[in-house]
Amino acid sequence: MSAQKIDGKAFAADLRGRVSEAVKALPAQPSLAVVLVGDDPASHVYVRNKIKFTGETGMRSIERRLPATVSEDELVDVVRALNDDDAVNGILVQLPLPKGLNSDRVIAQIHPDKDVDGLTEASAGRLLLGKSGLRPCTPTGCVMLAKDALGDLTGKNCVILGRSILVGKPAALLFLEQNCTVTIAHSRTQNLEDVCRSADILVPAVGRPEMVKSGWIKPGACVIDVGINRVPSIKRPGKFRLVGDVAYREAVSIAGSITPVPGGVGPMTIACLLRNTVLAACLQNGWAVPDIIAGL
Ligand code: NDP
């Protein structure tokens, strides 16, 4: 038997379509400000994609490009000015920042109501306390894909493999919000394979290529692979290919449903960022969130 493939690319395209519909239903056009510092080529590609999709969903994007030589205080001033600008609904500071700039201090400046990446301490606190707020994008995408595959997640055993601030911890809280029984596993977890095998929903977010083998997966489980790892291509020497944290080829014969890499969780991140921008605009203006994007 082969697992159902959870098509994150298609789901993300559908979500972007729903975001477009939601934007049309709003009294005014939401806007997303992206702050890009320095010349990191990967960051430039990410920002280009974010700007492209922002436009495609009918929202306005505002760019602030700064040289790697910018001082931390100047960067903080740019973020604060965006906070004060009523025409800006969402603020995203592309990470990593160049060496010498303290990303924690810069991120901390973002007003929580404009924190579309969900990375500030205030957003993390709202999530922990179960208060409404903007949730981190990748973990939100994981929950959406699991719900798409399984429906109601109530009572499911969910194992998150990884405890990072960016993915593991918020993912654990978001699955808890869905009434899952959540276990967070990490590098010091004992009997890791057994812990993973107890999962109805397994969410590896480790960054180790194909670490999770088929024997770690409970037959029929839903596997949401967050890992994105570049490994040398066997077919094309000198080139790289992307693999997840799960040994996909063997896992498909045991899992009930599984996300591929690429084309699984990855595309959900930007789609959730766009959704967060609409949510932020609604929050700031007291607008009702359009039903089409309201639930997870
Ligand atoms: P981090 O490196 O910050 O965290 C990795 C986590 O994995 C840590 O909690 C670590 O445990 C745990 N870990 C490492 N080795 C082991 C091991 N041998 N056994 C068990 N646990 C282990 O990574 P991120 O959370 O930022 O990212 C994880 C992966 O997700 C990466 O591949 C990244 O590229 C990908 N990613 C994908 C995104 C997407 O859009 N799809 C977005 C963000 C990330 P400990 O805390 O004990 O050290």
Side-chain angles (χ1 to χ4, degrees):
M1 228 183 58
S2 186
Q4 174 210 339
K5 180 172 131 183
I6 303 173
D7 189 343
K9 201 173 164 193
F11 192 100
D14 178 74
L15 179 55
R16 291 197 305 273
R18 285 187 279 132
V19 169
S20 291
E21 290 303 308
V23 167
K24 283 181 203 149
L26 296 178
Q29 185 187 35
S31 68
L32 172 65
V34 181
V35 181
L36 176 59
V37 186
D39 309 314
D40 178 54
S43 292
H44 276 258
V45 172
Y46 294 141
V47 164
R48 201 182 312 137
N49 281 332
K50 286 169 187 172
I51 289 171
K52 173 176 157 252
F53 285 125
T54 304
E56 279 181 16
T57 45
M59 295 190 280
R60 198 160 72 89
S61 65
I62 296 156
E63 280 179 71
R64 293 284 181 273
R65 288 178 189 254
L66 303 163
T69 51
V70 72
S71 74
E72 198 173 291
D73 286 342
E74 284 172 293
L75 179 54
V76 162
D77 286 345
V78 167
V79 174
R80 286 185 180 158
L82 293 169
N83 279 339
D84 294 340
D85 186 344
D86 288 342
V88 172
N89 299 118
I91 302 172
L92 177 153
V93 176
Q94 183 64 43
L95 299 176
L97 291 175
K99 277 203 183 96
L101 297 171
N102 179 346
S103 53
D104 285 348
R105 178 171 170 237
V106 174
I107 295 294
Q109 309 304 317
I110 300 173
H111 191 286
D113 290 351
K114 296 191 177 187
D115 177 22
V116 283
D117 258 344
L119 293 181
T120 60
E121 287 181 14
S123 294
R126 288 176 180 185
L127 172 59
L128 183 69
L129 296 174
K131 294 190 171 173
S132 62
L134 298 165
R135 307 304 195 213
C137 300
T138 303
T140 300
C142 292
V143 173
M144 285 179 171
L145 293 181
K147 286 190 77 165
D148 188 49
L150 300 177
D152 184 9
L153 304 184
T154 298
K156 305 277 186 206
N157 284 332
C158 177
V159 174
I160 313 286
L161 187 44
R163 56 174 166 179
S164 71
I165 302 292
L166 191 63
V167 186
K169 282 181 186 166
L173 290 168
L174 285 169
F175 277 99
L176 185 62
E177 231 170 38
Q178 297 296 318
N179 300 315
C180 290
T181 304
V182 177
T183 303
I184 307 176
H186 46 79
S187 66
R188 313 290 172 86
T189 297
Q190 293 184 357
N191 304 321
L192 187 60
E193 298 183 29
D194 291 343
V195 171
C196 289
R197 221 172 13 246
S198 72
D200 302 312
I201 305 165
L202 180 60
V203 186
V206 175
R208 289 184 182 259
E210 303 186 327
M211 178 176 116
V212 176
K213 310 295 181 200
S214 57
W216 298 33
I217 299 168
K218 180 175 173 175
C222 172
V223 180
I224 307 289
D225 188 355
V226 185
I228 299 179
N229 308 289
R230 266 160 54 98
V231 297
S233 166
I234 298 160
K235 284 185 193 154
R236 295 186 300 155
K239 302 277 182 193
F240 289 87
R241 66 190 174 99
L242 293 182
V243 298
D245 288 344
V246 178
Y248 184 84
R249 278 207 199 151
E250 53 180 270
V252 285
S253 63
I254 188 105
S257 50
I258 185 167
T259 55
V261 176
V265 174
M268 293 299 292
T269 302
I270 291 186
C272 290
L273 171 76
L274 300 168
R275 175 177 175 269
N276 270 354
T277 305
V278 175
L279 298 181
C282 292
L283 188 69
Q284 290 153 35
N285 292 292
W287 302 331
V289 175
D291 286 346
I292 197 162
I293 58 156
L296 280 186

